[in-house]
C-alpha cells in the first residue's frame, strides 16, 4: 500500500527506469503503451505540483523567498536522489529566484555532489535549522522523523504560516489548529481562518 497514496511523484533508479524501458520495448514491437505513457506524464506533472502550489501561494512572486525543504532523497532510508521530486522542486524554485534551506537525514552529501556549492542552497544540520528565516515549509520525503513535528514551533519560525505537504503526512485539521495553512496532494487546501 505504500506506493498507492497520492504524493509529489516517484523517483529513484528502478521504477522510473523500468517504466521507460517497458515504454521503449512496446514501441519497438509496434505497440502504443498508452497506460505507461500516462504513468510517466502523471508522475512528471505530480513532481511540478508543489512548485505550482507554492507559486500560487505567493502570486507568482518567488524571487527573494526562502523555502524550507524537508527531504531530499526520493524515499526515506536512502540517500538516493535519482529522479527525486526534491530536485524538480528545487530547480524550479531557483529558476524563479528563490532560495532553499534543505534538510535530509542522510542525503546531504549526495545533494552537495549533485549541486555543489550554490548561494541559493543551504544544507542544514536539522529539520529545525531549515526553518530559520524561511517563508514556508515544504515536505517532500516521508521520513519518520518528519511525522510528528512541533507545529507551534513551525508557525513561530516561518514568515508565512503555511506547510506544503507533498506526502500527505499531516492531518489538515491538526495543522490548522496550530495556526498553519495546509496544502497537500489530492486534498482541498486547508487554510487558517
Amino acid at each position: 500500500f505504500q506506493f498507492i497514496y497520492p504524493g509529489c511523484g516517484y523517483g529513484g533508479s528502478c521504477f522510473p527506469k523500468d517504466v521507460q524501458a517497458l515504454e521503449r520495448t512496446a514501441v519497438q514491437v509496434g505497440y502504443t503503451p498508452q497506460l505507461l505513457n500516462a504513468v510517466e506524464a502523471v508522475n512528471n506533472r505530480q513532481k511540478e505540483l508543489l512548485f505550482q502550489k507554492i507559486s500560487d501561494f505567493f502570486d507568482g512572486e518567488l524571487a527573494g523567498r526562502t523555502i524550507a525543504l524537508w527531504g531530499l532523497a526520493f524515499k526515506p532510508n536512502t540517500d538516493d536522489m535519482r529522479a527525486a521530486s526534491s530536485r524538480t522542486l528545487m530547480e524550479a524554485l531557483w529558476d524563479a529566484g528563490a532560495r532553499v534551506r534543505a534538510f535530509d537525514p542522510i542525503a546531504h552529501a549526495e545533494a552537495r555532489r549533485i549541486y555543489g556549492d550554490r548561494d541559493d542552497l543551504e544544507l542544514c544540520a536539522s529539520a529545525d535549522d531549515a526553518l530559520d528565516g524561511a517563508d514556508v515549509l515544504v515536505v517532500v520525503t516521508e521520513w519518520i522523523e518528519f511525522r510528528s513535528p512541533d507545529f507551534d514551533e513551525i508557525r513561530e519560525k516561518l514568515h508565512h504560516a503555511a506547510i506544503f505537504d507533498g506526502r500527505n503526512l499531516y492531518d489538515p485539521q491538526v495543522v490548522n489548529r496550530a495556526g498553519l495553512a495546509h496544502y497537500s496532494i489530492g486534498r482541498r487546501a486547508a487554510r487558517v481562518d
Side-chain angles (χ1 to χ4, degrees), residues 3-4 13-14 44 59 68-69 71 83 90 93 99 102 107 115 125-126 158 165 169 174 179:
F3 297 110
I4 63 171
S13 62
C14 296
N44 290 334
D59 295 322
L69 191 151
M90 289 190 300
L93 289 167
R99 297 185 74 248
Y115 293 113
S126 71
L158 295 176
D165 183 358
L169 289 180
V174 171

Side-chain angles (χ1 to χ4, degrees), residues 11 18 77 80 99 108 141 162 188:
D18 293 346
N77 304 315
D80 194 343
R99 297 185 74 248
H108 284 93
T141 312
R188 189 171 300 161

